[in-house]
Amino acid sequence: IMLASRSTFARSTTRSPSARVVTRVGSATTRAFKVRAGDVTVEVVKPLGMKIGRGPDIDGRQTVEVKFVVPGGNASKAGVKMGDQIMYHSSFFGDELWAADKASFAQTSINACPNSVDFVLNRGAKRKPNRDKKPAPPKFGRKLNASQKATATHMCVDCGYVYTQKKSFNDQPDGYACPQCNAPKSRFAEYDAETGQIKSNVATPAIVTALTVSMLGIVGYLTVTGLDL
């Protein structure tokens, strides 16, 4: 493992309005982020345009590899290749990367990431994956590119998915669900892409409202009867 300054990163950004991709070559790290010499770190904006699956077992441990890359998709533009071994990937839990040692879990974690996914890829001989975590690599700029920010209007408050489709969110049917976590349309709030902040309140689920009313009723009863709370 080598340690270097941010200036040693090999950075590549595509011109495509649908993808913001940052590529960093291994043996280049920051003080907070380390990768093995020869590994490649990429950030791919969703939709990824790739499929992953179980690779050959190494010393009794599963490997996870890229099974297919959609030509012209975001993964392809980032330089992801079929056969790449995924060593680490973004996690929905915290600002960190998780080791890829089980394909099903890796897929679940990647699906839960709202807008982009970081990968550490091995293009040499397949290696036994670690079972540790790494801090996420430093980000350059915002999550959304200029084209996405221009159409970003709503965010799912349950998973952070940002709605950037050209079709107006209000024109979506009532049965529309978050493509990331399947939350209903009512769980989306208006979103300010420039500040990254939610601009409106979200409807409180009926069960929460019912529980709140019930608790207020209990408090009122106990207060009237003179019981200490």
Side-chain angles (χ1 to χ4, degrees):
I1 297 174
M2 298 182 66
L3 198 64
S5 65
R6 178 181 293 186
S7 62
T8 61
F9 276 123
R11 182 183 176 193
S12 166
T13 56
T14 68
R15 296 181 180 179
S16 169
S18 64
R20 181 177 67 82
V21 179
V22 178
T23 304
R24 308 176 186 90
V25 178
S27 78
T29 64
T30 68
R31 291 186 299 172
F33 181 70
K34 303 176 183 179
V35 295
R36 180 167 174 163
D39 284 355
V40 176
T41 304
V42 297
E43 179 187 4
V44 188
V45 174
K46 288 188 169 182
L48 303 180
M50 60 183 280
K51 291 184 179 180
I52 68 171
R54 181 173 179 172
D57 289 4
I58 304 294
D59 294 335
R61 190 172 299 174
Q62 287 188 29
T63 64
V64 181
E65 64 181 13
V66 178
K67 296 294 187 180
F68 179 73
V69 177
V70 177
N74 289 344
S76 175
K77 293 171 184 175
V80 178
K81 300 178 181 180
M82 288 179 58
D84 283 348
Q85 181 185 1
I86 299 174
M87 303 304 300
Y88 293 89
H89 56 78
S90 293
S91 163
F92 58 88
F93 183 76
D95 190 18
E96 57 192 12
L97 303 183
W98 285 357
D101 64 345
K102 188 170 293 184
S104 58
F105 182 79
Q107 186 65 68
T108 299
S109 299
I110 291 169
N111 287 343
C113 295
N115 298 310
S116 66
V117 182
D118 289 303
F119 294 98
V120 177
L121 306 173
N122 165 37
R123 290 190 174 145
K126 294 293 189 293
R127 304 198 309 263
K128 181 179 181 179
N130 296 321
R131 285 181 173 170
D132 61 350
K133 300 175 183 179
K134 290 182 178 292
K139 303 295 182 181
F140 297 91
R142 295 178 180 272
K143 283 281 187 181
L144 302 179
N145 60 33
S147 177
Q148 290 172 323
K149 287 197 292 184
T151 56
T153 58
H154 290 73
M155 172 185 281
C156 174
V157 298
D158 290 343
C159 73
Y161 173 82
V162 178
Y163 183 87
T164 61
Q165 297 182 27
K166 292 182 179 180
K167 180 179 180 179
S168 171
F169 180 80
N170 293 329
D171 290 338
Q172 292 287 358
D174 292 339
Y176 174 83
C178 174
Q180 193 65 53
C181 70
N182 207 38
K185 185 178 180 181
S186 61
R187 296 300 293 163
F188 278 78
E190 290 186 0
Y191 174 74
D192 187 331
E194 291 300 325
T195 64
Q197 301 295 318
I198 290 175
K199 296 192 297 184
S200 64
N201 294 326
V202 179
T204 303
I207 187 171
V208 175
T209 302
L211 288 173
T212 301
V213 171
S214 298
M215 289 303 297
L216 289 175
I218 293 172
V219 170
Y221 171 78
L222 294 176
T223 301
V224 171
T225 56
L227 297 179
D228 293 330
L229 298 177

